[in-house]
Amino acid sequence: MATGGGDGRSLPWLLGQKVAVPERAEGYLDRAELVGLAMPTRRRLTVVQAAGGFGKTTLLAECCRRLREDGVRTAWVSVDEQDEPGVLGTYIAYACQTAMAGAATALEGLATSDLGQLTGGTERRFWIALREIADLKEPFVLVFDELERLENPESIAQLELILKHGPPNLHLAFACRELPAGVNITGVVLEGRAAVLSADDLRFSRPEVTEFFDGKLSADRLEALMSESAGWPFALRISRNEMAGGGRRGAPVSQDFVENWVESRLFAGIEAEDREFLLDIGLFEWMDAALLDDVLERSDSMHALGTMPTLSGLLEPVRDDTVDVWRLHPLIREHCVRRRYRETPERFRAVNRRIAEALARRGQTASAMRYAKEAGEPALAGEIMERAGGVRLFSREGLVQFLAAERRLAEDVVEARPRLGLARCLALIVSGRMEEAKERYLPLAARIGCLEEDASDAALELAAENCVVRGLIAMYGGEHFGSASIRTHLAEITRLAESPSIDALTRGVMEYGLCVAGGMTANFQTALDHAARARPYLRQSHQTTMYLDVQTGQIALAQGRPQDAEAQYRRAERVAREHYGDDSVPAAICSALLQELALECGRPLPHAKAAGIPEALTTGSSPIQAYAAASDTMLALKLRDEGVESALESAESVLGYVRGARLSALTRHAAALRVSLLATAGRIGDAERAWKSDNLPEQAAGCLDLAGQSWREMEALSCARLRVTIGSGRFEEGRGFARELRELAAARGLKRTLMRTLALSAVLEIRAGGPATGQLEAYLNLYAETPYAGPLVREREDCTQALAAFLEADRNVGDTEAARSLLAAMERTETPLQPALTAREMEVLQRLGKHRDKEIAAEFGLSAFGVRYHIRKLFAKLGVRKRSEAVRRAREMGLLPGDF
């Protein structure tokens, strides 16, 4: 079963839980007046604030059901303490898209709404949803349940933005015990656009209590019940369940409803053995029959629960794809936890320990560790983490699950266990805390030492985990690839990859590491050989397989194989969507690389105002190549649409970020991009001074070095140097350097670099007074095989007239039609503003003129409704009402060639 963020639960299950409107409870009483009062469409904001058990969720869920019956779209988000901004943005987007298009289409739409088209990262997800809501021009309701659980300040700020800047047709509703600190509703309340319903509004009235008990209460019993319960819905439900089960009908209760009502009502009519059983059950956050029986060492757990009438309506189903899962009402569970700990602390610890062990056997590491900590056994939590693989948990389960587990490690346990020390180093790295990671790693590496010739299996496992952490520190730290330390490191990885004693996943990860090293230094065939060897061993790791596709896709990009590159990126994108929906980083990586590919091929991209480096790429878990690609693309769009000064301003921000984050591996790349822009602006003196102040290579050989730096860094440095040389009029020097760069690019299979160099060489010859015939001919011959329009389009100010003259001379340049389309792109004095279409919208658009909805649906595995949803989105973005108009408009905007 696909996992995506719930300790082994499927992604559709997780998303469904977060955005599903709770079902109507058995015995629900229709409180029409209260529902009307709480109806979210009556105002901008409705807040239902009360203690637990007052029916806040029930009330807003009923409002949503009635609104949906009336055709009003409603979205529901259940909030969790772990909802960081990226995760919350994902849930909001999915909830809103589900409300508008259905769950199946929303799953697909969620993946494509920010992949390959948008660059804003996680902070854009909810803005996209809000824009689509505004386009509806009709009321839309968005409900946040259990809002008090929202703790992350950035997530709270995200909610504030929705409240303040959401479209006027958006109606919000909050259900909470108390508003989180930072959520300020004073303004909308004073403006009369908000209402707050309190516990007093939610209490049952005397007539409602009578109806709730089906008119079976005597006057005296009704009076007593009103006095005892004060109209608290939770207390009334317990009393009604007690009556249905034939329990006692009296006994006053104290003012502490949770303690006294559970003890005097829920537990009063059951045997001592059943009470003990319930106290044990309360320790489970969720449960299924197998888990209960395993932990409690019995075979009838769920049957026993099912025969307790007092639990009716208090044992809540939780949807799952494969098994029936349940949980006790949170108030009941909290009471049981307190009572069990207070009455029998030894039993409390023992059951929590057994739950931890059972979940660990299921592979639900983070939850297992939480129960181990509840049991007061941090050492057990460490053991569970080690048994789960330590660092390898990141490769197997992904970032979110790894960090959720690592956070439960106590510092003294980490200090005592080197494998856990490596896990903490990895957590620091992927959280962007590189300096802390290095400081912790150095003494740890000394303790671990070198891999001995006759190393045990345990030593091999430790060495493999050490290689992962050491490799990331070297990569992000910008260590010279040709250093003795890196050579030793790669030799150790090779030895581990070839060892017959390591497990398949570890072998695959080692081969992946060698693929990364080879790919970054343009040893492409070696890298692809390692990738081929890695794949069979990575079948159990969606995470590493996804990143392997990202690596091989970048190799294809560099080699001039755009179709292969896109296929690899799309495959990684599907894995990100299906398995890691709770982690925004994989989606952002795919988005950045797909945009880079689109720019290289001259495909439509958003206007620079919509461009930016995805927020998720500014975390330590993002590969440096993805950030390099995103920064290069963003600056190119800024230059194209807003001019060189705007691009320079953005370049300064990029350089400031990588310096502040101590990402040495990206510093020279970012500095080179800034120098290129200074040269483009004609500020040659500033460019030369920046080159020196940033300590960029003094000699040409330092730029062309592929033994010690990545091919992206080599390309950026070399192109920047060539631009400065051209701009300063040193044409002979530039010719010599360009020749060396072309020879290197051709020898190493760097076709993208070769085409960029040819484009700059053409600029050089044109500025030197020549026709650039040889350079243009060589470029167009490559272009016939590899449709990289970007390099020459980028130089269109210098090269457009030269290319036009070249083509007018009827020269033989392979695909003449393709060459003329390239010229047409260069001749556009201003790129038309094109709508930002998702990948799926582009696919539908390409078939719109020749295929029916059912045919499109069959091709992509969508429903006809899903296709029509995409068509409606296309019509809105293109500003048309008919299919024929959409095709015509798309052709005019350059989104479709003439044969579509």
Side-chain angles (χ1 to χ4, degrees):
M1 182 171 59
T3 60
D7 280 317
R9 302 290 170 198
S10 68
L11 177 58
W13 175 85
L14 172 66
L15 292 174
Q17 280 299 292
K18 297 290 288 190
V19 307
V21 175
E23 297 177 0
R24 185 177 288 154
E26 180 182 354
Y28 169 78
L29 176 66
D30 183 9
R31 306 175 72 189
E33 184 176 346
L34 179 61
V35 170
L37 178 65
M39 194 60 69
T41 48
R42 295 183 58 176
R43 56 192 72 87
R44 171 65 162 181
L45 172 65
T46 301
V47 179
V48 183
Q49 181 174 346
F54 271 93
K56 304 178 293 294
T57 299
T58 299
L59 175 59
L60 288 181
E62 185 63 22
C63 290
C64 287
R65 277 189 289 272
R66 298 193 183 190
L67 286 170
R68 289 181 175 181
E69 290 172 359
D70 293 335
V72 178
R73 291 178 173 87
T74 63
W76 185 283
V77 177
S78 296
V79 176
D80 200 323
E81 291 90 347
Q82 297 178 349
D83 286 349
E84 299 174 351
V87 176
L88 183 62
T90 298
Y91 294 142
I92 293 171
Y94 179 71
C96 293
Q97 291 180 2
T98 298
M100 288 186 281
T105 301
L107 270 176
E108 177 274 325
L110 178 60
T112 59
S113 65
D114 65 346
L115 298 177
Q117 297 297 326
L118 300 171
T119 56
T122 54
E123 68 181 32
R124 290 193 173 279
R125 282 182 171 150
F126 68 92
W127 286 116
I128 296 169
L130 295 184
R131 185 179 64 195
E132 294 174 349
I133 290 169
D135 290 341
L136 291 173
K137 308 296 185 185
E138 58 187 46
F140 187 102
V141 173
L142 176 57
V143 179
F144 291 90
D145 190 28
E146 296 186 287
L147 192 64
E148 74 279 355
R149 303 178 72 179
L150 196 64
E151 298 176 348
N152 188 292
E154 294 179 17
S155 297
I156 293 171
Q158 198 173 41
L159 194 67
E160 278 277 281
L161 283 173
I162 298 175
L163 178 60
K164 292 180 179 178
H165 302 293
N169 62 321
L170 175 63
H171 302 271
L172 297 171
F174 299 161
C176 57
R177 297 188 184 189
E178 58 182 3
L179 284 169
V183 176
N184 184 1
I185 66 170
T186 304
V188 287
V189 170
L190 292 177
E191 293 167 2
R193 297 190 300 131
V196 179
L197 277 66
S198 67
D200 287 340
D201 298 306
L202 302 178
R203 296 184 192 279
F204 274 48
S205 66
R206 190 180 299 270
E208 287 175 331
V209 172
T210 299
E211 185 178 356
F212 187 63
F213 283 83
D214 299 323
K216 297 179 180 179
L217 295 176
S218 65
D220 290 342
R221 180 62 187 133
L222 175 60
E223 189 64 32
L225 195 57
M226 289 300 298
S227 174
E228 295 168 0
S229 69
W232 187 31
F234 178 64
L236 292 169
R237 172 169 284 277
I238 292 177
S239 291
R240 192 177 71 169
N241 289 348
E242 179 189 28
M243 285 184 62
R248 62 180 187 155
R249 302 173 181 271
V253 296
S254 72
Q255 295 182 358
D256 187 340
F257 284 135
V258 174
E259 292 289 332
N260 285 279
W261 270 92
V262 172
E263 287 299 319
S264 65
R265 294 293 193 232
L266 181 63
F267 287 170
I270 62 176
E271 300 293 332
E273 181 180 352
D274 287 339
R275 181 180 185 278
E276 288 297 300
F277 177 55
L278 278 178
L279 290 182
D280 283 345
I281 294 299
L283 301 183
F284 293 78
E285 185 175 4
W286 59 266
M287 66 198 84
D288 59 47
L291 180 63
L292 286 176
D293 289 345
D294 184 10
V295 172
L296 301 180
E297 299 176 323
R298 55 190 296 168
S299 59
D300 63 343
S301 301
M302 291 307 300
H303 175 74
L305 285 175
T307 58
M308 294 183 181
T310 54
L311 288 182
S312 176
L314 302 176
L315 189 63
E316 303 171 347
V318 180
R319 295 193 185 103
D320 194 324
D321 293 334
T322 56
V323 297
D324 292 330
V325 179
W326 304 81
R327 68 172 185 176
L328 277 177
H329 188 285
L331 290 179
I332 301 295
R333 180 173 182 271
E334 291 166 9
H335 172 81
C336 291
V337 169
R338 289 193 298 268
R339 281 284 174 169
R340 174 55 79 202
Y341 183 78
R342 188 185 311 158
E343 294 177 6
T344 50
E346 302 85 1
R347 178 69 178 175
F348 174 87
R349 289 189 287 269
V351 173
N352 272 299
R353 179 187 177 90
R354 291 210 292 266
I355 297 173
E357 294 283 11
L359 292 177
R361 288 191 292 272
R362 291 184 171 200
Q364 296 168 21
T365 306
S367 287
M369 293 172 67
R370 183 174 65 79
Y371 281 103
K373 290 194 71 175
E374 285 290 319
E377 300 191 34
L380 174 61
E383 291 174 15
I384 291 171
M385 180 72 166
E386 283 197 315
R387 293 202 301 264
V391 166
R392 287 179 296 170
L393 183 65
F394 173 70
S395 301
R396 191 174 63 249
E397 297 292 339
L399 175 66
V400 172
Q401 289 304 308
F402 170 76
L403 290 178
E406 190 277 336
R407 281 194 290 265
R408 304 193 188 283
L409 292 173
E411 182 61 28
D412 58 337
V413 175
V414 171
E415 289 288 343
R417 299 171 182 262
R419 290 186 69 189
L420 299 182
L422 289 171
R424 180 135 296 169
C425 287
L426 177 58
L428 290 170
I429 293 169
V430 299
S431 300
R433 298 157 64 184
M434 180 59 66
E435 293 304 309
E436 292 179 63
K438 287 181 181 179
E439 185 178 342
R440 180 180 283 271
Y441 177 75
L442 290 176
L444 184 60
R447 286 175 60 191
I448 295 172
C450 298
L451 183 61
E452 302 292 339
E453 287 296 327
D454 57 347
S456 65
D457 289 352
L460 288 171
E461 288 183 3
L462 181 61
E465 295 176 32
N466 184 39
C467 280
V468 171
V469 176
R470 171 74 179 87
L472 288 173
I473 289 176
M475 184 185 301
Y476 287 106
E479 192 168 336
H480 192 280
F481 289 165
S483 68
S485 174
I486 291 295
R487 289 198 301 272
T488 300
H489 173 65
L490 292 176
E492 190 163 300
I493 294 179
T494 302
R495 179 183 166 193
L496 287 165
E498 296 172 352
S499 171
S501 301
I502 63 172
D503 63 273
L505 176 59
T506 301
R507 190 186 311 281
V509 171
M510 295 299 102
E511 292 285 1
Y512 165 74
L514 293 170
C515 170
V516 172
M520 291 184 69
T521 53
N523 291 301
F524 292 141
Q525 190 53 54
T526 299
L528 291 173
D529 289 343
H530 285 299
R533 287 197 287 271
R535 287 195 187 279
Y537 300 118
L538 294 176
R539 291 182 183 134
Q540 59 178 301
S541 174
H542 296 297
Q543 167 97 353
T544 313
T545 299
M546 175 180 64
Y547 283 118
L548 186 63
D549 285 333
V550 166
Q551 290 299 326
T552 55
Q554 290 180 85
I555 292 173
L557 168 80
Q559 291 182 320
R561 299 183 285 113
Q563 290 183 334
D564 291 341
E566 182 166 10
Q568 299 292 329
Y569 295 157
R570 294 296 182 192
R571 187 161 65 184
E573 176 185 277
R574 287 194 297 272
V575 174
R577 179 178 69 232
E578 294 171 6
H579 299 282
Y580 301 105
D582 55 353
D583 181 0
S584 59
V585 173
I589 291 170
C590 294
S591 174
L593 295 173
L594 283 165
Q595 284 218 359
E596 177 189 41
L597 179 62
L599 184 66
E600 212 65 38
C601 294
R603 298 174 189 165
L605 278 173
H607 190 271
K609 292 186 183 300
I613 297 176
E615 179 186 344
L617 296 187
T618 61
T619 67
S621 60
S622 169
I624 59 173
Q625 306 100 307
Y627 187 90
S631 56
D632 198 351
T633 302
M634 184 265 290
L635 294 178
L637 292 176
K638 291 285 185 182
L639 178 63
R640 181 194 75 180
D641 298 331
E642 298 179 0
V644 69
E645 293 304 321
S646 175
L648 273 170
E649 184 178 336
S650 296
E652 293 288 353
S653 297
V654 169
L655 188 55
Y657 163 71
V658 297
R659 283 174 173 165
R662 307 288 181 89
L663 297 174
S664 303
L666 286 167
T667 302
R668 296 208 311 175
H669 180 271
L673 295 180
R674 182 180 64 162
V675 168
S676 278
L677 288 169
L678 286 169
T680 300
R683 296 163 56 183
I684 301 303
D686 289 341
E688 290 175 334
R689 284 188 289 274
W691 189 280
K692 291 181 180 179
S693 65
D694 290 330
N695 295 316
L696 300 183
E698 294 183 8
Q699 303 299 320
C703 295
L704 300 172
D705 173 29
L706 273 175
Q709 62 187 351
S710 72
W711 69 265
R712 286 183 182 274
E713 188 174 355
M714 180 279 295
E715 181 185 79
L717 285 167
S718 298
C719 289
R721 186 183 189 94
L722 189 51
R723 285 188 189 279
V724 173
T725 305
I726 294 170
S728 61
R730 306 196 307 271
F731 297 130
E732 277 306 313
E733 179 186 338
R735 287 188 183 100
F737 180 71
R739 184 170 54 253
E740 290 185 69
L741 179 54
R742 290 197 303 269
E743 290 172 354
L744 174 66
R748 300 299 282 270
L750 286 161
K751 188 172 284 189
R752 183 181 93 158
T753 305
L754 179 57
M755 294 180 77
R756 289 188 174 192
T757 308
L758 283 169
L760 285 172
S761 296
V763 173
L764 185 154
E765 297 303 333
I766 292 166
R767 293 193 184 180
T773 301
Q775 291 74 22
L776 291 174
E777 183 174 358
Y779 188 97
L780 291 174
N781 285 331
L782 289 173
Y783 183 73
E785 303 172 356
T786 301
Y788 284 172
L792 204 58
V793 170
R794 205 173 285 126
E795 312 305 330
R796 62 187 176 191
E797 184 175 338
D798 287 283
C799 296
T800 300
Q801 290 184 1
L803 179 59
F806 181 87
L807 292 176
E808 286 173 6
D810 287 331
R811 298 181 185 275
N812 184 15
V813 292
D815 191 341
T816 304
E817 187 62 33
R820 294 196 179 281
S821 71
L822 174 59
L823 176 61
M826 296 172 65
E827 287 176 335
R828 297 191 190 108
T829 57
E830 183 177 347
T831 301
L833 293 181
Q834 297 166 327
L837 304 184
T838 67
R840 179 67 80 204
E841 287 165 357
M842 278 297 299
E843 290 169 340
V844 172
L845 176 61
Q846 289 166 358
R847 290 153 180 81
L848 202 57
K850 298 181 180 179
H851 299 275
R852 294 180 300 172
D853 292 354
K854 290 184 178 179
E855 294 171 332
I856 299 173
E859 182 176 353
F860 295 116
L862 301 173
S863 66
F865 182 86
V867 173
R868 288 193 291 273
Y869 166 74
H870 288 298
I871 292 174
R872 286 197 303 272
K873 296 283 291 298
L874 282 169
F875 285 2
K877 291 182 178 182
L878 296 172
V880 299
R881 296 183 178 182
K882 298 179 181 179
R883 298 166 81 99
S884 58
E885 291 176 356
V887 173
R888 178 180 55 78
R889 180 64 176 149
R891 287 173 181 159
E892 292 173 353
M893 301 178 76
L895 292 169
L896 287 180
D899 57 347
F900 277 93

